[in-house]
Amino acid sequence: MSDATLRTTARRAFAPDWGMRIFGLLVLVYLVYAASQLDLGFGRLVTGLGEGARFLARMFPPNFERWELLVEGLLESIQIAVLATVIGLVLSLPVGLMAARNIAPWWLSGPVRAFIAVCRSLHYVIVAILFVKAVGFGALAGVFALVVASVGFVSKLFAEAVEEISMKQVEAVRSTGAGTLAVLLYAVLPQVASRFVGFSLYQLDSNLRNSTLVGIVGAGGIGGTLFAAFKRFDYDFVSAILIAIIGLILLAELISGRIRGAMR
């Protein structure tokens, strides 16, 4: 092969993709346009850094004098998270099985998947606001909101895990004349049990974080205490609350990590 042919082949192999270049240029133009519409300027960033420094200065040292109020809020958040996780997991197990297209008929899996999509489409804070309006202020609204979030998340992942199982075991159990419940217990669930436990631990960790936020809209937990401290400009107590929340999440992460390690 001559040098001229090699150069021609190299030019064809590394020819510029003008379509992607034009697309990248359009994305860049849109980003500049969006930044101008949202008033994202360097001046505001500099001003914000100064204001943020003054705000952080008011948060230290943290004030733990009202530790009883802090502990009460944390305990309520833990109770909300645990209750919501348990109820959500109990509901997610049958919902996920009904949403799996390899073991459920289309007329059942389709509507169930639509229900899961509805649960996932609304942010848990919005759901918490709806339940606060429905059942009033307090932990009950927070539990309901996180149950909806748990069902939307765990059911989707569980259904996808069931769809990835080996159908050979299912067919083997069915060939013995076993009913639907026996097939689920002896052929489906053993293949996805470890993954379901992993989903459960992750959802508990997620609900612990989310339970601190739903309180801001009146759904109970430490979030209500945090919001009240912000309204009073009690920033040293805000710092104490944030430190306590971070400590709670780190502890939960440590415990869930130990449980995952023990299951391997």
Side-chain angles (χ1 to χ4, degrees):
M1 185 178 293
S2 64
D3 293 341
T5 305
L6 288 175
R7 286 194 295 269
T8 303
T9 305
R11 283 197 296 269
R12 290 175 181 173
F14 298 98
D17 189 346
W18 289 105
M20 289 302 298
R21 291 186 179 186
I22 293 173
F23 176 74
L25 181 61
L26 291 176
V27 171
L28 181 61
V29 171
Y30 177 76
L31 291 176
V32 174
Y33 168 76
S36 64
Q37 292 296 309
L38 297 176
D39 192 20
L40 302 179
F42 183 74
R44 294 192 61 186
L45 176 62
V46 174
T47 303
L49 290 176
E51 294 294 333
R54 285 189 288 272
F55 173 69
L56 291 176
R58 298 178 62 182
M59 294 179 64
F60 291 94
N63 181 8
F64 289 94
E65 292 180 358
R66 283 168 287 176
W67 60 269
E68 298 94 343
L69 186 62
L70 182 60
V71 171
E72 180 182 355
L74 284 176
L75 289 177
E76 188 174 44
S77 289
I78 294 173
Q79 292 165 356
I80 291 173
V82 173
L83 285 174
T85 301
V86 172
I87 297 173
L89 293 177
V90 170
L91 296 176
S92 296
L93 186 60
V95 170
L97 291 172
M98 289 187 292
R101 288 169 289 196
N102 59 336
I103 62 173
W106 64 268
W107 52 264
L108 177 61
S109 61
V112 174
R113 281 183 169 273
F115 169 73
I116 294 174
V118 171
C119 293
R120 288 173 53 82
S121 62
L122 296 177
H123 195 272
Y124 58 90
V125 173
I126 298 176
V127 179
I129 294 174
L130 297 177
F131 278 116
V132 165
K133 293 296 184 181
V135 302
F137 293 97
L140 183 61
V143 171
F144 284 165
L146 295 184
V147 165
V148 173
S150 300
V151 171
F153 178 79
V154 177
S155 296
K156 177 179 174 59
L157 294 182
F158 186 56
E160 293 177 352
V162 173
E163 290 179 348
E164 296 174 0
I165 66 173
S166 173
M167 295 302 294
K168 293 181 180 180
Q169 298 183 31
V170 176
E171 294 169 359
V173 175
R174 282 176 177 171
S175 65
T176 63
T180 303
L181 183 59
V183 171
L184 294 177
L185 290 177
Y186 297 106
V188 176
L189 293 181
Q191 297 188 60
V192 294
S194 61
R195 298 185 65 179
F196 185 73
V197 173
F199 299 152
S200 304
L201 292 174
Y202 179 82
Q203 189 59 40
L204 176 59
D205 182 62
S206 178
N207 282 342
L208 281 174
R209 295 193 305 270
N210 297 339
S211 65
T212 64
L213 186 58
V214 294
I216 295 178
V217 296
I222 192 64
T225 307
L226 178 64
F227 187 58
F230 266 115
K231 290 195 297 184
R232 296 193 306 266
F233 304 102
D234 197 359
Y235 295 128
D236 54 352
F237 188 47
V238 168
S239 177
I241 295 173
L242 294 178
I243 292 173
I245 292 175
I246 293 172
L248 174 65
I249 301 304
L250 291 177
L251 179 62
E253 182 66 24
L254 178 63
I255 294 175
S256 62
R258 292 291 182 86
I259 295 176
R260 292 190 188 98
M263 294 179 57
R264 291 174 182 173

